[in-house]
Amino acid sequence: MTVELLRAPTSQERLVLRPEWREQFALYGLETARDFLALPGVVVSGHVGRNVSRVEIGATVAYLKREHRVRKRDRLRNWRDGFGLTSLSTREARVLQYLELHDLPGPTWLAHGEAAGEAFLLVEESAGVDLRLLSPLEIADLAAPLGKLVAQLHADGVEQPDLFAKHFLLDAGQVTLLDWQRAKLRPLSWAQRCRAL
């Protein structure tokens, strides 16, 4: 039974589409997970085995986060954290869905899926300026609002270990936080909240 539990579902193709985007994706021939994994784009960042590409679907700019191989250790870590034996892409999509339900700032997910041991998450482009590009005075003015935002995340049971300046986008007073693949959904102790700040 334990062996079955740890066996990762790699051969099965899975695709989850944001319902209101289903017809638009079909117009562009995006009907399977493999279709999304094959989208052409410009790589804007990456890690070993994963990268992020800027893609265009009609007039929409989006970012495709690809896992070139879903690692067993990632599946086990996701299982340990309560997400099941999923890819990082599916984990991040589930966190984004949770954020949306709780009116918290994350990018809009459009689709996620897996095929032949690869996985992806497609998110709509978020407007804003990278926090690192602001002046020290502007950043000082944002300290309290950003602290309140992080406190709200914690109050809603979201632990985001990647609260780096490069993950904050600011647009007309609105904040969007990027990169949620390591976030956890659970009640946080005061010690965990303080460590995150």
Side-chain angles (χ1 to χ4, degrees):
M1 182 168 162
T2 305
V3 173
E4 287 299 315
L5 177 66
L6 297 178
R7 189 173 294 154
T10 57
S11 61
Q12 186 177 354
E13 183 169 318
R14 288 184 298 285
L15 176 63
V16 179
L17 303 176
R18 190 175 191 90
E20 60 268 28
W21 277 76
R22 186 175 302 275
E23 288 181 24
Q24 185 170 350
F25 287 141
L27 287 173
Y28 292 96
L30 299 170
E31 298 178 335
T32 69
R34 290 175 195 262
D35 294 335
F36 283 90
L37 285 162
L39 273 171
V42 177
V43 174
V44 295
S45 70
H47 305 279
V48 175
R50 295 176 21 233
N51 68 26
V52 179
S53 297
R54 184 180 186 274
V55 299
E56 293 181 13
I57 302 168
T60 301
V61 175
Y63 287 88
L64 183 66
K65 303 177 91 169
R66 288 184 182 99
E67 289 173 75
H68 300 293
R69 181 179 57 86
V70 181
R71 300 179 303 184
K72 288 183 182 176
R73 74 177 183 188
D74 289 332
R75 289 190 192 278
L76 288 172
R77 186 177 300 121
N78 294 340
W79 174 74
R80 180 199 65 197
D81 291 342
F83 293 93
L85 289 171
T86 63
S87 64
L88 290 171
S89 300
T90 297
R91 176 183 179 146
E92 185 169 1
R94 290 180 182 165
V95 172
L96 293 177
Q97 291 164 356
Y98 183 89
L99 295 175
E100 193 174 322
L101 284 172
H102 291 84
D103 199 29
L104 295 168
T108 301
W109 74 276
L110 302 177
H112 64 92
E114 189 171 336
E118 295 180 85
F120 78 92
L121 169 64
L122 183 71
V123 296
E124 193 169 18
E125 181 179 46
S126 298
V129 176
D130 184 325
L131 187 64
R132 297 173 296 177
L133 300 177
L134 301 178
S135 71
L137 184 58
E138 290 172 306
I139 292 173
D141 289 342
L142 290 169
L146 292 179
K148 288 178 184 175
L149 172 63
V150 172
Q152 183 61 50
L153 288 171
H154 293 164
D156 285 328
V158 180
E159 180 182 5
Q160 167 55 300
D162 295 324
L163 291 173
F164 304 117
K166 67 181 180 177
H167 293 156
F168 286 81
L169 291 181
L170 303 164
D171 182 41
Q174 297 295 320
V175 177
T176 301
L177 281 167
L178 307 175
D179 287 349
W180 293 91
Q181 67 270 4
R182 293 190 331 127
K184 296 177 184 173
L185 304 176
R186 63 181 183 180
L188 278 80
S189 69
W190 283 106
Q192 290 167 321
R193 294 177 189 213
C194 291
R195 187 169 48 249
L197 287 173

